[in-house]
Structures are given as structure tokens and as C-alpha cells.
Amino acid sequence: VRGEAKKAVARLRSLGLHLVLMTGDTDVIAGAIGQSFGFDRIHADLLPDGKLARLRELKAEGRKVVMVGDGVNDAPALAAADVPISMGSGTDIAQQFSGVLLIGDDLGKLGDLVALARRCRKIILFNFAGTLLVDAAGMALAAFGLLSPILAAVVHVSSELLFILNSARLLPLQRRR
């Protein structure tokens, strides 16, 4: 077990995720690790096809499945996951089937990844709704003759600039030392 694993699992749980441990290890080992870490479900003694079957069961329950793996045995399940994530220190085949590759082998980055993805989604949805609202208001005002074509263009371009600047909040800030 990696040193940062327990902290990483706790962070993912704090983000409200349903965590499932799928491993090729024995029931005794998987049970001890899974319970001490707080996994919601534990599946042990799994070969690659067993991991794939468990993943498909989760998807059949209507869940969006994120699979984190780093080995050859994880490749089939990674290929079937909604969001396949592999560690940069993993095998080439695991990396090949991944949609997300975490550089290095720090599991703590998983929580950061989930938090960033959620933040991105919120900003995208805000920008999308804002754009629709501004454009709808502009069209309504223009239809009633309350907004000239030039002013409508200025309002449209200005609002788009504001939404682009809103997206810039996702850029990492460089702190001065």
C-alpha cells in the first residue's frame, strides 16, 4: 500500500465519491485494507475479466465509473470506464487506455483532479447559461427596437469577453516569493 493512499481515499470520500476496491489480492488482504481505508465495496481475487465484470455491474446500476489503475491487469477495465485514469508510473498499456494520465505516482493528486474537474464544470455551465441569457435578452431588446445593431454587437462581444475572463479563473496563479 502506498504511503499516501489512506489520505487520498479520505479526500475522495470527503468529495462524496462511492469508492470500490477491486484487486487481485486475497480476500484477507483486500478486506483488511479496504475496511481500514473506508471503501464502500471490496472485491478481491479478481483477474482482469473479473475487474471488467465488476465495472460493468457498477455501470448497470447507473453509475458513472472512474477507474484508477496502473497495471496490465487493469487495462480491460480502464478501457470500459467512463473516466479511465492511470498513474504515470504505471505500465504502458494502462496508460494507453487512459483518458487521464497523472504524472508520477502520487495518489493524492486524484482528489485535486476531481475538485478541478468539478470547478471546471461549474464555470462552463455558468458561462453557457450566461451566454444564452445575455443573447436572449439582446435579441428580445433588439426585436422591440430598444437595442440598435451596433449596441447589440458591443453588448455581445463585451459579454463574451467577460465569460472568457471568467474561464481564466481556472488558470493557475503564480505566487511571488
Side-chain angles (χ1 to χ4, degrees):
V1 177
R2 296 180 182 179
E4 76 280 0
K6 195 165 194 170
K7 186 177 177 182
V9 169
R11 172 97 191 277
L12 293 171
R13 287 196 65 72
S14 74
L15 293 169
L17 299 178
H18 179 86
L19 301 175
V20 178
L21 175 62
M22 296 191 300
T23 181
D25 290 330
T26 65
D27 280 332
V28 174
I29 293 171
I33 292 170
Q35 288 177 352
S36 71
F37 279 44
F39 281 89
D40 297 299
R41 295 187 199 176
I42 302 163
H43 301 288
D45 291 319
L46 295 178
L47 296 173
D49 61 334
K51 290 181 182 183
L52 180 59
R54 295 291 185 252
L55 185 138
R56 287 184 174 149
E57 288 172 8
L58 291 168
K59 290 179 87 170
E61 293 173 9
R63 296 182 181 276
K64 294 289 182 190
V65 178
V66 175
M67 169 74 183
V68 180
D70 62 359
V72 173
N73 292 337
D74 298 322
L78 283 168
D82 295 307
V83 181
I85 301 174
S86 73
M87 307 306 288
S89 61
T91 62
D92 289 341
I93 194 159
Q95 292 177 12
Q96 181 181 0
F97 284 107
S98 294
V100 178
L101 175 65
L102 290 179
I103 304 301
D105 62 352
D106 182 4
L107 291 172
K109 292 180 182 177
L110 287 171
D112 297 338
L113 175 66
V114 172
L116 178 62
R118 287 179 175 176
R119 188 168 170 232
C120 286
R121 187 171 192 272
K122 283 181 185 177
I123 289 174
I124 289 168
L125 290 176
F126 177 85
N127 289 349
F128 182 71
T131 298
L132 290 177
L133 184 66
V134 168
D135 287 350
M139 287 188 289
L141 291 172
F144 290 108
L146 301 173
L147 193 61
S148 70
I150 298 295
L151 188 55
V154 169
V155 168
H156 176 75
V157 170
S158 299
S159 70
E160 294 302 317
L161 179 61
L162 289 175
F163 294 125
I164 290 169
L165 291 174
N166 186 44
S167 297
R169 294 185 306 140
L170 293 169
L171 297 173
L173 297 175
Q174 298 293 330
R175 295 185 182 188
R176 294 184 187 186
R177 294 181 186 202

